[in-house]
Amino acid sequence: MYQWRKFDFFEEKYGGKSSIPEEVSGKIECCSSGRGKVVFGCDDGTVCLLDRGLKFNFGFQAHSNSVLFLQHLKQRNFLVTVGEDEQISPQQSAVCLKVFDLDKMEPEGTSTTSPDCIGILRIFTNQFPEAKITSFIVLEEAPPILLIAIGLDNGCIYCIKGDIARERITRLKLEVDSFSDKSHCSITGLGYRVDGQALQLFAVTPNSVSLFGLQNQPPRRQTLDQIGGNVNSVTMSDRSELIIGRPEAVYFYEVDGRGPCWAFEGEKRFIGWFRGYLLCVIADQRIGKNTFNIYDLKNRLIAHSLVVKEVSHMLCEWGNIILIMTDKSALCVGEKDMESKLDMLYKKNLYTVAINLVHSQHADAAATAEVLRKYGDHLYSKQDYDEAMAQYIHTIGHLEPSYVIQKFLDAQRIYNLTNYLEKLHEKGLASKDHTTLLLNCYTKLKDVEKLNLFIKSEDGVGEHKFDVETAIRVCRAANYHEHAMYVAKKAGRHELYLKILLEDLGRYDEALQYISSLEPSQAGVTVKEYGKILIEHKPVETIDILMRLCTEDGESAKRGSSSTYISMLPSPVDFLNIFIHHPQSLMDFLEKYINKVKDSAAQVEIHNTLLELYLSNDLNFPSISQDNNGVDLSLIARSGAVLVSKAESNGKVIADRKDIYKDKDCLERREKGLHLLKIAWPSDLEHPLYDVDLAIILCEMDAFKEGLLYLYEKMKLYKEVIACYMQAHDHEGLIACCKRLGDSGKGGDPTLWADLLKYFGELGEDCSKEVKEVLTYIERDDILPPIIVLQTLSRNPCLTLSVIKDYIARKLERESKLIEEDRQAIDKYQEDTLTMRKEIQDLRTNARIFQLSKCTACTFTLDLPAVHFMCMHSFHQRCLGDNEKECPECAPEYRSVMEMKRGLEQNSKDQDRFFQQVKSSKDGFSVIAEYFGKGVISKTSNGPTDTNRSGSTSSGNGF
């Protein structure tokens, strides 16, 4: 005991001058506490209840004589007392047990009140003979059941269980070993132990410690020790351990026997337990006084010690320890708060004690960390850096790491800092800056072994205990490239792994091999990011990887060639940006792709890009085909076509750029471009597999005449075709083009010859040979009237009349022949009309003589009845049958004429057809004249006309 440190962790309350109120007049025989009250039982039979500060609350007469024992219950506000009342008869004992309900007060007289006594029980009966009560304890089971144990001086224990208020109880008697000397078998202490369903009772005598198992019937007794204890030197800890104070030591007992003991010398007048502290009132025979000690057994220190007078009772309530003296004075001792206790220890630099204290008091982690921090600061000030860092490491998670790091940034303490940062990473609390600092420590120490352990930890935790990007960055900066690559590869950061290979180490072959080992999706991402470097140094190998990614080569071929999978493959368009400085490689890549993949979804974009590569003069990166989003290229192409037909400057540009074609490479690319223009526009497709407007713009910009002519011709823009020849003044090619495109029999446009004639008429130079050839085709197809030809050619001052002399002579001769033929036809029509009119007049005015002697139908001799028609045909009536209205011989011709007339009348109502014929005819006037000549365009008749122009006459009498 003398080796333990003494502290003042407790303090006296109420100024140390507390006393029992005067209202407690009798001698205090027993006491109890609970539910915020302190209860005293006196020798005059009164019970007094005191509030906080030992202030009198109320008192009442519980027994007639003396109150021997009492206990204030915790669960219900009940008070159980054992005392002496007036003896009614000699056979009945005066000792009885009472239960008071302190929540129910009943009036008694006018000025005093007492609680309701809900049960009175005689302790001693015939089966349970009377003896002196030496100990008393009550256990609350499920309300209203109480389990009361009463210890006697004869070594017996009377147990009463049940609802005392309703007198539903059972009694039980327990016995310890009987001794001849009754002073050595008296029950000096009792204690209940509840362990789940098991209920056990400790019983202490001066010479033994016993344990009864009350769950067994009958209860089983077990002797724990052959040495016991005296009255007031027995108590129970909060862990249900039995504590016995003897002069040589304090003993702890479990259910299996004696446990630890503490050698505190001196006679133990009182033993108690308070919040983990052992309370002892020890009589010091040397000085003749009593010492009150509070022991902290966990930390092996005396939390408080003071000299006290003669103590009669000890109890705990209101968070204080209350000592009642024999002179009715009281001492209240309370525990100081944790902060005060720690300050006391800090002043004495007892940091280890402070740490043990906060652990034993189950303080929160933040409070513990604060103690450790102060201890670390103390050690740091003493330059004990290793031990200081050991304390700081325990604060990780609560103390800001920068507080510790700042103290150990000095190069001489870098080992301690490294240790702290390692622990910080192990607990997953490190930030990016901490990772940077730790790796810098490793590199400055050149501790490759620790760096390997940190980076290449085999437990798999390494990828989570530090920031990957930070580790890679620091390792790269310190030229630990292999470590940086290991971290990147383990974390799956392929882009960082390749960045180190390409930018730091220049190991391009290894980078290509690594990309090939990745999944297609990951490989595509990495190629997009680092493809520019790879194309610059390893163009052929990079193109091979791109081909495997964009086609079904390699592993992807194993998945099948379904259209769904093909659509999931990346498009070459996605990788165009990596070729920005290497258009030749881009051209090689796209050529390989289109030769292998024929039905790509991006073939239009690919063809557009290839066209721009093929047609560019200097083989620049295709910018137009990549930047045409949102631009209407058709408007540009159309406006370009108009400019081609009108602006002479373009013609000069084309002429000036002819020297470019001397470049062999440029010629080869243009041949490829023309070939692509043709094969990408199959005859069975209406639209090509490229943007035709973009193709026209490219051909215009790069003066690619052959491609421009091909596109115009495919689009049937024949006038733009000849405009190209006109601008180039290629008369021979112009005439050859018109021969090919101006033949209407082959779907051409004959008006091209008119445009060609107009061109020569406005040329302003001698082109007699060409004009004569053009006039030949104009005359052959009768495209223009002579007057228009004369007007057109008259604008060219360099042309003479001899150019068109033969043409005009042939046209005049031909017109004269036509006029003569028309006059002859008119004379014939007039003669036929005159003959018809005479015949009509003759039919109207003169009789007809029918002289045929044979039937026209059967050629037999005509006999009666006969039918004669005005057309001079005669028939037997039997040969006509029922059809007597028209001549069978003339009727077909007549019906065809009438159907023709009805058809013409119907056509006259179809205006669209009429105008279509006028537009499509070379001579629209002839169409109109034809409609007039057929009587289609004429006034309509107001009434029906008689169409029976071949009426018949029937002869019944033989005429």
Side-chain angles (χ1 to χ4, degrees):
M1 178 179 70
Y2 295 103
Q3 297 176 356
W4 285 17
R5 294 176 180 268
K6 291 184 179 181
F7 299 94
D8 289 330
F9 288 165
F10 286 78
E11 59 185 354
E12 297 182 14
K13 301 291 184 181
Y14 316 119
K17 298 180 180 180
S18 300
S19 61
I20 303 302
E22 294 179 356
E23 287 84 353
V24 184
S25 57
K27 178 184 177 182
I28 300 175
E29 294 288 342
C30 56
C31 63
S32 179
S33 63
R35 300 179 70 90
K37 304 284 185 183
V38 171
V39 185
F40 292 138
C42 302
D43 59 352
D44 58 358
T46 60
V47 172
C48 299
L49 283 81
L50 279 65
D51 286 331
R52 181 182 291 272
L54 298 179
K55 294 180 180 180
F56 182 79
N57 188 347
F58 70 93
F60 63 93
Q61 192 72 34
H63 296 273
S64 300
N65 295 325
S66 175
V67 180
L68 302 177
F69 297 92
L70 60 78
Q71 184 170 337
H72 194 182
L73 304 185
K74 308 293 184 182
Q75 297 182 20
R76 293 174 293 172
N77 197 14
F78 285 4
L79 180 66
V80 182
T81 64
V82 175
E84 295 180 353
D85 286 305
E86 294 181 356
Q87 190 171 7
I88 301 176
S89 64
Q91 291 79 15
Q92 290 183 343
S93 174
V95 180
C96 64
L97 183 146
K98 293 183 180 181
V99 179
F100 296 92
D101 188 349
L102 300 181
D103 290 333
K104 296 180 180 179
M105 308 297 291
E106 57 183 21
E108 183 179 306
T110 57
S111 60
T112 60
T113 58
S114 63
D116 185 11
C117 181
I118 61 174
I120 301 176
L121 182 66
R122 295 291 175 181
I123 297 176
F124 302 112
T125 63
N126 294 332
Q127 291 81 12
F128 299 89
E130 184 176 358
K132 182 181 177 180
I133 300 176
T134 56
S135 60
F136 173 78
I137 189 170
V138 181
L139 175 66
E140 295 179 86
E141 290 191 342
I145 305 300
L146 298 178
L147 180 57
I148 302 171
I150 301 172
L152 306 176
D153 62 350
N154 58 6
C156 294
I157 302 171
Y158 291 168
C159 294
I160 302 172
K161 181 178 181 180
D163 186 357
I164 297 177
R166 298 181 181 181
E167 297 183 357
R168 297 177 180 177
I169 61 172
T170 57
R171 294 175 182 263
L172 182 66
K173 180 179 179 182
L174 304 176
E175 292 184 2
V176 298
D177 291 338
S178 60
F179 297 92
S180 59
D181 187 0
K182 287 189 176 182
S183 63
H184 293 85
C185 65
S186 174
I187 304 298
T188 57
L190 295 171
Y192 281 113
R193 176 186 175 93
V194 180
D195 187 7
Q197 297 296 325
L199 178 60
Q200 297 168 316
L201 176 64
F202 287 103
V204 181
T205 68
N207 295 319
S208 67
V209 178
S210 302
L211 178 67
F212 293 91
L214 301 182
Q215 71 274 13
N216 301 319
Q217 293 298 331
R220 183 172 59 85
R221 177 180 172 276
Q222 177 185 356
T223 301
L224 301 181
D225 201 350
Q226 296 297 330
I227 304 176
N230 297 323
V231 178
N232 296 328
S233 63
V234 179
T235 189
M236 295 292 293
S237 72
D238 51 10
R239 295 189 297 274
S240 298
E241 296 172 310
L242 179 67
I243 306 174
I244 299 177
R246 300 194 185 106
E248 72 279 4
V250 176
Y251 297 89
F252 283 73
Y253 288 89
E254 295 279 355
V255 293
D256 53 354
R258 184 191 297 179
C261 68
W262 303 90
F264 304 139
E265 296 181 354
E267 181 185 355
K268 312 300 185 299
R269 295 290 180 89
F270 283 91
I271 290 290
W273 189 264
F274 174 75
R275 295 182 178 178
Y277 292 100
L278 176 65
L279 311 179
C280 291
V281 177
I282 303 175
D284 192 344
Q285 302 296 335
R286 293 173 297 178
I287 60 176
K289 293 184 179 180
N290 297 327
T291 304
F292 175 55
N293 289 334
I294 303 176
Y295 297 101
D296 185 348
L297 301 180
K298 287 185 178 180
N299 298 315
R300 296 178 179 270
L301 57 86
I302 299 175
H304 192 67
S305 179
L306 75 161
V307 177
V308 296
K309 294 183 287 186
E310 190 70 25
V311 179
S312 62
H313 298 89
M314 182 170 63
L315 66 159
C316 302
E317 187 60 32
W318 310 309
N320 297 329
I321 304 168
I322 305 170
L323 299 179
I324 308 299
M325 310 302 174
T326 55
D327 59 357
K328 285 192 176 182
S329 63
L331 178 64
C332 294
V333 179
E335 186 178 7
K336 295 181 180 179
D337 59 83
M338 179 62 73
E339 185 176 356
S340 299
K341 291 189 287 186
L342 293 176
D343 288 340
M344 186 186 308
L345 296 173
Y346 295 155
K347 291 177 182 179
K348 298 179 179 181
N349 293 330
L350 298 176
Y351 292 98
T352 56
V353 178
I355 293 171
N356 295 332
L357 182 64
V358 294
H359 284 309
S360 64
Q361 296 287 333
H362 303 290
D364 59 0
T368 304
E370 179 64 17
V371 177
L372 293 169
R373 181 192 67 81
K374 288 182 178 292
Y375 188 27
D377 292 345
H378 172 69
L379 295 171
Y380 184 87
S381 64
K382 295 172 63 177
Q383 298 184 356
D384 187 357
Y385 301 119
D386 294 338
E387 190 62 30
M389 179 54 73
Q391 305 306 319
Y392 287 134
I393 287 174
H394 292 303
T395 66
I396 292 176
H398 303 282
L399 181 62
E400 178 63 34
S402 59
Y403 178 84
V404 181
I405 294 172
Q406 190 173 7
K407 288 178 174 291
F408 290 86
L409 279 179
D410 187 21
Q412 296 179 354
R413 296 187 284 275
I414 192 171
Y415 292 99
N416 301 118
L417 179 59
T418 303
N419 187 23
Y420 179 79
L421 292 171
E422 286 174 347
K423 299 297 182 182
L424 201 63
H425 281 80
E426 286 179 5
K427 295 187 178 182
L429 299 175
S431 66
K432 296 180 180 179
D433 295 331
H434 299 149
T435 302
T436 303
L437 188 57
L438 177 59
L439 293 174
N440 284 330
C441 290
Y442 286 149
T443 54
K444 286 184 178 180
L445 293 172
K446 299 187 183 302
D447 194 343
V448 180
E449 183 179 354
K450 277 195 173 182
L451 182 61
N452 290 337
L453 184 63
F454 181 75
I455 294 293
K456 303 179 180 181
S457 56
E458 298 297 332
D459 55 359
V461 183
E463 59 189 19
H464 300 291
K465 67 183 182 183
F466 57 81
D467 183 73
V468 172
E469 292 187 4
T470 303
I472 294 173
R473 175 174 52 81
V474 175
C475 290
R476 288 182 66 193
N479 293 326
Y480 285 91
H481 297 115
E482 295 297 332
H483 294 80
M485 289 169 58
Y486 180 87
V487 174
K489 189 173 184 178
K490 186 174 182 181
R493 302 298 297 270
H494 310 297
E495 70 283 358
L496 296 177
Y497 185 86
L498 289 170
K499 190 172 185 178
I500 299 168
L501 278 177
L502 296 173
E503 297 181 2
D504 297 339
L505 304 177
R507 286 145 60 171
Y508 306 108
D509 293 328
E510 186 176 344
L512 290 169
Q513 185 178 0
Y514 183 77
I515 292 174
S516 301
S517 66
L518 298 177
E519 289 292 326
S521 58
Q522 297 174 341
V525 173
T526 55
V527 170
K528 288 178 183 178
E529 187 167 357
Y530 299 105
K532 293 179 182 178
I533 301 176
L534 294 172
I535 283 293
E536 181 179 358
H537 296 89
K538 297 289 181 179
V540 178
E541 294 82 355
T542 305
I543 291 175
D544 291 340
I545 289 180
L546 289 175
M547 286 297 296
R548 287 197 295 271
L549 287 175
C550 298
T551 61
E552 297 180 82
D553 287 347
E555 295 295 327
S556 60
K558 300 177 182 178
R559 305 184 187 181
S561 57
S562 62
S563 59
T564 304
Y565 173 70
I566 294 175
S567 63
M568 294 171 60
L569 293 172
S571 171
V573 180
D574 301 335
F575 303 99
L576 294 184
N577 63 318
I578 70 176
F579 295 94
I580 189 167
H581 300 301
H582 304 279
Q584 181 64 48
S585 298
L586 174 60
M587 187 170 66
D588 296 340
F589 169 53
L590 295 180
E591 285 176 348
K592 288 185 177 181
Y593 182 80
I594 62 173
N595 291 333
K596 187 173 185 62
V597 180
K598 303 297 182 182
D599 53 353
S600 172
Q603 57 184 347
V604 174
E605 292 84 354
I606 295 172
H607 289 157
N608 290 342
T609 306
L610 268 177
L611 281 175
E612 189 167 356
L613 289 169
Y614 287 151
L615 301 183
S616 62
N617 294 323
D618 301 325
L619 192 58
N620 295 321
F621 183 78
S623 57
I624 297 178
S625 58
Q626 305 305 314
D627 298 335
N628 61 3
N629 295 332
V631 180
D632 191 351
L633 293 176
S634 62
L635 296 178
I636 300 176
R638 297 294 183 267
S639 61
V642 174
L643 291 174
V644 167
S645 61
K646 292 185 178 181
E648 296 180 358
S649 60
N650 285 353
K652 295 179 180 179
V653 171
I654 293 174
D656 294 339
R657 292 183 178 178
K658 286 184 179 180
D659 295 338
I660 299 174
Y661 298 154
K662 296 178 182 179
D663 187 355
K664 181 180 179 181
D665 180 64
C666 183
L667 288 175
E668 291 178 355
R669 284 190 284 107
R670 297 211 169 195
E671 289 177 1
K672 291 181 180 179
L674 183 59
H675 179 68
L676 180 60
L677 287 174
K678 293 179 179 180
I679 63 171
W681 197 339
S683 58
D684 57 338
L685 293 181
E686 182 179 358
H687 300 288
L689 300 177
Y690 50 83
D691 190 338
V692 66
D693 297 321
L694 175 65
I696 291 175
I697 292 174
L698 294 175
C699 292
E700 286 281 353
M701 292 178 59
D702 297 301
F704 186 37
K705 177 181 175 183
E706 291 81 358
L708 198 61
L709 293 176
Y710 173 78
L711 292 172
Y712 284 154
E713 187 171 340
K714 286 288 290 186
M715 297 170 68
K716 299 188 182 301
L717 300 176
Y718 299 140
K719 294 186 181 294
E720 281 74 9
V721 175
I722 64 172
C724 292
Y725 285 104
M726 291 177 182
Q727 291 168 4
H729 295 277
D730 185 1
H731 296 169
E732 183 177 353
L734 185 60
I735 294 176
C737 178
C738 286
K739 289 179 181 179
R740 189 177 71 257
L741 303 178
D743 190 353
S744 59
K746 298 180 181 180
D749 185 6
T751 60
L752 296 178
W753 293 107
D755 295 336
L756 187 56
L757 186 67
K758 182 179 179 182
Y759 166 74
F760 286 127
E762 298 175 351
L763 188 59
E765 62 183 44
D766 187 7
C767 49
S768 303
K769 179 181 177 182
E770 292 81 358
V771 170
K772 289 181 180 180
E773 189 173 358
V774 171
L775 289 177
T776 302
Y777 290 97
I778 291 177
E779 180 182 2
R780 183 192 69 181
D781 297 333
D782 196 15
I783 297 173
L784 292 175
I787 187 65
I788 300 299
V789 173
L790 289 173
Q791 291 176 353
T792 302
L793 296 178
S794 64
R795 299 172 186 172
N796 190 343
C798 298
L799 294 177
T800 60
L801 188 60
S802 61
V803 177
I804 60 171
K805 177 180 178 181
D806 295 337
Y807 167 76
I808 294 299
R810 289 193 299 273
K811 291 297 289 184
L812 291 175
E813 182 180 357
R814 187 175 179 183
E815 292 293 335
S816 299
K817 288 181 179 179
L818 291 175
I819 292 172
E820 183 61 29
E821 290 175 358
D822 289 341
R823 285 179 179 173
Q824 292 177 1
I826 289 171
D827 293 340
K828 182 177 180 299
Y829 289 149
Q830 287 179 348
E831 184 179 349
D832 292 343
T833 301
L834 183 60
T835 303
M836 290 180 184
R837 286 178 178 174
K838 287 181 180 181
E839 184 177 358
I840 291 171
Q841 184 64 25
D842 184 46
L843 289 173
R844 288 178 176 176
T845 57
N846 299 324
R848 277 282 189 178
I849 299 174
F850 300 97
Q851 296 179 346
L852 288 176
S853 58
K854 293 183 179 181
C855 176
T856 305
C858 62
T859 67
F860 289 106
T861 302
L862 193 63
D863 54 2
L864 298 177
V867 179
H868 304 280
F869 290 94
M870 299 298 287
C871 58
M872 301 309 293
H873 293 138
S874 300
F875 301 89
H876 293 112
Q877 189 174 14
R878 63 177 179 273
C879 292
L880 290 175
D882 296 333
N883 188 11
E884 298 181 356
K885 298 297 184 181
E886 58 184 8
C887 174
E889 293 290 330
C890 299
E893 182 180 357
Y894 175 71
R895 280 196 294 271
S896 64
V897 173
M898 294 304 295
E899 288 176 1
M900 185 181 298
K901 183 178 180 182
R902 282 194 296 271
L904 292 173
E905 292 176 352
Q906 185 68 28
N907 290 339
S908 65
K909 299 177 182 179
D910 189 357
Q911 300 179 7
D912 293 338
R913 182 178 179 184
F914 168 72
F915 287 110
Q916 183 65 31
Q917 290 182 1
V918 173
K919 291 179 180 179
S920 60
S921 176
K922 297 179 182 179
D923 187 4
F925 181 78
S926 62
V927 176
I928 299 174
E930 182 181 0
Y931 268 74
F932 271 105
K934 294 178 179 178
V936 175
I937 303 178
S938 61
K939 294 182 179 181
T940 58
S941 59
N942 294 328
T945 58
D946 187 9
T947 58
N948 188 10
R949 302 208 174 205
S950 58
S952 62
T953 302
S954 170
S955 173
N957 55 4
F959 178 71

